Amino acid sequence: MYRQGSGSDLPQVGEFAPFPVARRVNSSHSVTMDDAMENGMGSYQERPRTFPSMRSKSHYPLIFRMLLGINARVLLVLLLLIFGAVFYVGASTSPIVIFVFSICIISFFFSVYLTKWVLAKDEGPPEMVQISEAIRDGAEGFFRTQYGTISKMAMVLALVILGIYLFRSTTPQQESSGLSRSTSAYITVAAFLLGALCSGIAGYIGMWVSVRANVRVSSAARRSAREALQIAVRAGGLSAIVVVGMAVIGVAVLYATFYVFLEVDSRGSMKVTDLPLLLVGYGFGASFVALFAQLGGGIFTKAADVGADLVGKVEQGIPEDDPRNPAVIADLVGDNVGDCAARGADLFESIAAEIINPSGFILFPLVVHSFDLVVSSIGILSIRGTRDPGLIVPIEDPMAILQKGYSVTIVLAVLTFGVSTRWLLYTEQAPSAWLNFALCGLVGIMTAYAFVWITKYYTDYKHEPVRVLALSSATGHGTNIIAGVSLGLESTALPVLVISIAIISAFWLGHTSGLVDETGSPTGGLFGTAVATMGMLSTAAYVLTMDMFGPIADNAGGIVEMSLQPESVREITDVLDAVGNTTKATTKGFAIGSAALASFLLFSAYMDEVASFAHVSFKEVDIAIPEVFIGGLLGSMLIFVFSAWACSAVGRTAQEVVNEVRRQFVERPGIMEYQEKPDYGRCVAIVASASLREMIKPGALATISPVVIGFFFRLLGHYTGQPLLGAKVVASMLMFATVSGILMALFLNTAGGAWDNAKKYIETGALGGKGSDCHKAAVTGDTVGDPFKDTAGPSLHVLIKMLATITLVMAPSSERGGNWIEDIVAVFSFL
């Protein structure tokens, strides 16, 4: 049943403004203006199709409205003061920090150029503009409500972290440097809140760009396929540049501030290699927001998509994004809040977690990602528009064009990575070590390329796996499902082999670099793996650009369909949309690969932190101990239960959408004849309210489980004489959850993407084309794959890294020392 949300910002059914109807070339599923009038549908003009204005407040969040309300001169002075303070702190830290700040600021100016370039493009005829405004209002209204809910949960969690850190033990390094418990607690909480804030801003930027670029891509598709491609790429690129730049400058500012404030590396103070333990809160805050953003946005977009497809395509036989479908606006809104906003927060979190690595060398990844901004910007600019924008010509293969840009970015990334290693990792102790680490970076870059290629092979309909899946639809719905599941299961093999080779190769290269510790034992193996992770993410901005391209192209196709543009225009956006599905899938493969490498590093960091707090060695985890083995089982179970709850949330919300769409078709029979208007706003409100409600349970499971398991087994270890039992069980849980999560995410992402493109392949005219029995079976597979690839799968990327960061932040609760009962009583007394 439909239940109205209580949030004032929730998209509601608003005022309806008249929408002038455009002429359209006839198609098999559409009623044109001329046909409608010839059949006596005089009321079609008397009751024009309309779109809801779902705006309840200003477009911009409070912080942006406050900034816009400041006098321009005052704002300029404030910005100059802030920049001056930042550069002063950076200069007091290291010239390298100044370099990083400079690159980030230049990149922000480049993103401003891209913004002006994109917004200067025309929005097309009035009907396109009005559809775009309806999508924009729904997306921004949901974003405000969703992030308002997330911010409240973040504040509660910040209080819990503060309580734990105020009553924990300290490390020997903190004791020797004079860093008190309260200072450490407030620093961790401040870093957590800053990470959460920056992650939210990254998500907002992704959504803000997409809801303004979609209509411009639609308009460009009327003139030139290449121009539409270029606008979509540059729109995705400006979002990607800002997201990566914010992640880099956020960590750099924290690093420099703590370095100056704590007088790091001065006599009797903290060493610079101990700083990552204070910055881990930043990564946890980013992970926390990214998880709930991905869950809420994923539930929204896929519930609307499933509901629209099941009733519209399967039951009513109308095309995708047909204006007669009451759920079509909700579906298009979901592309922005689920794909753009959530993916921006996801990649921000990935970069933040990778920069804050256990080796303590934070400056090196900051420089690597600064060069990432440069090389990705060049890759984005390498994609140019057509020289004859006035002529509609058959589009070139968009994937080939995007891959050319990716190849340019990779070549430049290899060169800049070599420069970075020679600049920062050269040492007289081992003169050739920098070359080993440069090769580690090359391993990471090759791993990224391999993941992109493997995912493309399994999800692009130009290759055999998707075509075989499409062929299975010819024999029915069941065989389509069986073929899709088997394809997803098979697709886990090659990525796992690639990850395994990458970890072993990078560790070996680092181990043989010639670096040794105080005892003369070889060291550098773990740092070699860290460098490989940095190499894999050294093209992150361009990869995010390709990801953002997908939902922008999808929205553009929806606007073209709803505004009844000629079929030639829809053909262009269909090609872009199909390529967008592939780029989204390849980005998810890239994300899970980087998550695997980053989690390996964070797992090692967790063991080191526990050893520091417990004052004992903690180098291995023995799963032959029953409690430790149980922890592993619980970790694997967590992945499966989380995925189940995420998918079931989509299913329950989609049922509400299906019931509402069916109700409107029954109660308003004139919708199918263009005589009555669908109530789009009602579906948006249903999905928005349900997605906010449904995201809580799986998100709470992911956040609370490691803490509860750590506390329980620490208590058990206290009474059984096993002082580190809680830490060992949590380590086992983290290890098994990471392995299970990687495999599950690979399966869900690839199977869902393959099902989607199998449907797209049939819609090109193969195997009977649109409306055939084969197409209906493919739609069923696509419906099953929707929560796989856009809700549960992407959420697992974040979950894997969030489990690692939350165990780092909560490590004091699982180490030995002190009275456990007294610690808990003190924490709850504080709260």
Side-chain angles (χ1 to χ4, degrees):
M1 296 295 293
Y2 166 65
R3 184 167 65 184
Q4 183 67 46
S6 58
S8 60
D9 289 340
L10 207 61
Q12 306 293 336
V13 182
E15 297 296 326
F16 285 75
F19 169 48
V21 181
R23 290 179 176 269
R24 175 183 178 159
V25 176
N26 196 8
S27 69
S28 59
H29 296 288
S30 302
V31 180
T32 63
M33 173 74 79
D34 294 337
D35 291 339
M37 298 308 296
E38 288 173 7
N39 292 328
M41 299 178 190
S43 59
Y44 184 77
Q45 285 186 320
E46 297 167 10
R47 307 183 66 164
R49 194 180 303 101
T50 57
F51 295 94
S53 173
M54 291 167 281
R55 185 180 307 162
S56 57
K57 289 188 178 181
S58 172
H59 274 304
Y60 301 103
L62 177 61
I63 186 172
F64 291 101
R65 296 202 302 272
M66 292 174 62
L67 290 174
L68 291 173
I70 301 175
N71 180 272
R73 293 183 178 179
V74 175
L75 183 60
L76 178 61
V77 171
L78 289 175
L79 288 175
L80 290 175
L81 289 175
I82 292 172
F83 284 147
V86 166
F87 275 94
Y88 172 77
V89 172
S92 303
T93 305
S94 168
I96 298 172
V97 176
I98 295 294
F99 172 80
V100 172
F101 285 162
S102 301
I103 294 295
C104 289
I105 291 173
I106 292 172
S107 298
F108 291 150
F109 280 115
F110 175 66
S111 67
V112 170
Y113 160 75
L114 290 179
T115 303
K116 290 184 175 181
W117 187 90
V118 171
L119 296 182
K121 299 297 180 180
D122 72 284
E123 296 180 302
E127 57 267 28
M128 281 188 174
V129 175
Q130 196 166 14
I131 298 168
S132 174
E133 288 178 348
I135 297 169
R136 183 186 310 169
D137 293 342
E140 293 182 338
F142 174 73
F143 184 92
R144 284 191 298 271
T145 306
Q146 181 192 31
Y147 275 73
T149 303
I150 295 173
S151 64
K152 294 172 185 175
M153 293 188 292
M155 293 303 298
V156 172
L157 185 55
L159 288 175
V160 174
I161 295 172
L162 181 63
I164 290 175
Y165 270 67
L166 283 175
F167 301 100
R168 67 167 196 174
S169 59
T170 57
T171 66
Q173 294 86 351
Q174 291 172 346
E175 292 175 357
S176 62
S177 63
L179 187 65
S180 65
R181 288 183 181 180
S182 59
T183 302
S184 176
Y186 290 124
I187 285 176
T188 303
V189 170
F192 169 79
L193 292 176
L194 181 62
L197 175 63
C198 291
S199 182
I201 293 174
Y204 177 77
I205 290 170
M207 182 272 300
W208 188 92
V209 171
S210 65
V211 296
R212 286 159 177 80
N214 51 16
V215 68
R216 290 167 169 84
V217 175
S218 301
S219 179
R222 299 178 305 147
R223 300 184 298 271
S224 165
R226 187 66 179 261
E227 182 186 355
L229 172 67
Q230 185 186 26
I231 294 174
V233 169
R234 291 198 172 188
L238 76 90
S239 175
I241 293 297
V242 173
V243 168
V244 175
M246 281 187 56
V248 173
I249 202 169
V251 176
V253 168
L254 272 181
Y255 173 85
T257 303
F258 292 161
Y259 188 95
V260 173
F261 175 71
L262 300 175
E263 298 180 346
V264 174
D265 273 349
S266 61
R267 186 174 182 181
S269 64
M270 178 179 290
K271 294 182 179 180
V272 68
T273 52
D274 297 327
L275 268 182
L277 291 181
L278 296 180
L279 298 178
V280 71
Y282 185 84
F284 179 38
S287 298
F288 181 80
V289 170
L291 178 67
F292 281 97
Q294 186 64 70
L295 274 173
I299 293 169
F300 187 112
T301 182
K302 289 302 110 180
D305 193 4
V306 169
D309 283 354
L310 287 179
V311 182
K313 287 185 179 181
V314 178
E315 296 182 6
Q316 299 296 329
I318 58 179
E320 185 174 5
D321 300 326
D322 191 284
R324 292 170 290 178
N325 194 325
V328 67
I329 289 290
D331 183 11
L332 296 174
V333 168
D335 291 335
N336 298 285
V337 298
D339 288 330
C340 292
R343 198 75 71 250
D346 182 1
L347 191 69
F348 177 93
E349 176 266 342
S350 297
I351 295 172
E354 177 261 322
I355 291 175
I356 306 169
N357 63 83
S359 64
F361 291 93
I362 293 180
L363 292 179
F364 180 67
L366 288 175
V367 170
V368 168
H369 285 295
S370 298
F371 279 125
D372 172 21
L373 292 169
V374 176
V375 301
S376 295
S377 298
I378 295 173
I380 292 167
L381 292 176
S382 69
I383 298 175
R384 300 183 178 273
T386 180
R387 296 181 179 179
D388 187 1
L391 180 64
I392 297 181
V393 295
I395 189 171
E396 303 173 58
D397 182 5
M399 179 55 76
I401 297 172
L402 291 173
Q403 284 201 320
K404 287 179 183 177
Y406 186 43
S407 299
V408 170
T409 305
I410 281 185
V411 171
L412 293 175
V414 170
L415 297 176
T416 56
F417 204 95
V419 171
S420 301
T421 52
R422 181 62 179 83
W423 176 22
L424 296 175
L425 300 184
Y426 177 81
T427 174
E428 294 292 342
Q429 178 188 351
S432 63
W434 72 270
L435 183 58
N436 282 50
F437 291 126
L439 292 176
C440 290
L442 182 61
V443 167
I445 293 172
M446 292 172 60
T447 301
Y449 189 83
F451 262 83
V452 169
W453 185 88
I454 291 168
T455 311
K456 177 178 176 293
Y457 173 74
Y458 278 106
T459 58
D460 193 336
Y461 63 60
K462 294 184 180 65
H463 300 291
E464 183 181 4
V466 173
R467 296 200 174 201
V468 171
L469 175 57
L471 184 61
S472 70
S473 305
T475 51
H477 302 253
T479 50
N480 172 277
I481 300 300
I482 293 170
V485 170
S486 62
L487 183 152
L489 293 172
E490 178 189 316
S491 69
T492 62
L494 287 178
V496 168
L497 292 175
V498 170
I499 291 174
S500 302
I501 293 171
I503 291 176
I504 292 175
S505 301
F507 190 90
W508 181 82
L509 285 168
H511 188 72
T512 58
S513 63
L515 297 178
V516 294
D517 57 17
E518 294 83 358
T519 63
S521 302
T523 185
L526 185 61
F527 184 64
T529 309
V531 173
T533 308
M534 299 168 200
M536 188 169 187
L537 287 170
S538 63
T539 57
Y542 190 87
V543 172
L544 181 59
T545 298
M546 292 197 297
D547 183 81
M548 292 289 187
F549 167 85
I552 292 173
D554 193 355
N555 257 212
I559 292 172
V560 166
E561 180 73 36
M562 294 192 71
S563 59
L564 303 179
Q565 298 299 311
E567 282 294 335
S568 58
V569 180
R570 180 66 198 191
E571 287 172 3
I572 290 175
T573 56
D574 278 347
V575 173
L576 295 177
D577 185 16
V579 171
N581 285 333
T582 303
T583 59
K584 287 190 293 184
T586 55
T587 305
K588 291 165 189 171
F590 174 88
I592 196 62
S594 64
L597 292 176
S599 296
F600 177 76
L601 299 174
L602 293 171
F603 177 76
S604 301
Y606 167 74
M607 297 180 70
D608 290 341
E609 185 175 10
V610 169
S612 297
F613 282 116
H615 310 301
V616 296
S617 177
F618 185 34
K619 296 294 185 183
E620 58 186 25
V621 179
D622 186 0
I623 62 172
I625 300 173
E627 295 90 346
V628 176
F629 184 73
I630 290 172
L633 288 177
L634 292 174
S636 297
M637 178 204 71
L638 171 63
I639 297 299
F640 282 82
V641 173
F642 176 87
S643 301
W645 286 1
C647 290
S648 63
V650 173
R652 285 190 297 270
T653 308
Q655 289 173 18
E656 296 184 41
V657 177
V658 167
N659 290 333
E660 172 60 24
V661 175
R662 285 174 175 170
R663 182 193 67 79
Q664 291 196 35
F665 277 130
V666 171
E667 296 180 3
R668 302 181 182 188
I671 288 177
M672 288 299 294
E673 305 300 329
Y674 293 102
Q675 292 179 329
E676 292 186 81
K677 62 190 177 187
D679 189 347
Y680 302 106
R682 177 100 173 182
C683 288
V684 173
I686 289 173
V687 180
S689 176
S691 59
L692 292 174
R693 182 176 67 248
E694 295 285 357
M695 76 177 184
I696 302 297
K697 188 169 73 168
L701 173 72
T703 307
I704 296 173
S705 294
V707 181
V708 172
I709 291 172
F711 275 130
F712 175 79
F713 282 98
R714 181 182 174 186
L715 177 62
L716 181 63
H718 177 75
Y719 286 109
T720 58
Q722 303 177 72
L724 279 181
L725 182 62
K728 292 177 180 177
V729 171
V730 170
S732 177
M733 181 211 71
L734 179 59
M735 189 187 309
F736 279 66
T738 299
V739 172
S740 301
I742 291 169
L743 294 173
M744 178 67 81
L746 287 169
F747 162 68
L748 295 175
N749 291 337
T750 309
W755 267 316
D756 195 350
N757 272 349
K759 177 200 68 176
K760 294 288 185 186
Y761 175 61
I762 294 173
E763 288 176 349
T764 63
L767 302 173
K770 294 182 180 180
S772 64
D773 290 340
C774 187
H775 181 241
K776 291 179 180 178
V779 170
T780 300
D782 178 37
T783 302
V784 173
D786 275 340
F788 280 25
K789 67 182 175 66
D790 287 321
T791 307
S795 297
L796 285 176
H797 308 166
V798 186
L799 174 63
I800 292 170
K801 289 170 285 188
M802 197 191 76
L803 288 174
T805 53
I806 194 174
T807 51
L808 273 173
V809 172
M810 300 298 183
S813 68
S814 58
E815 47 83 16
R816 78 170 190 175
N819 189 300
W820 188 86
I821 302 298
E822 291 178 0
D823 287 350
I824 297 301
V825 171
V827 170
F828 280 100
S829 298
F830 167 80
L831 295 176

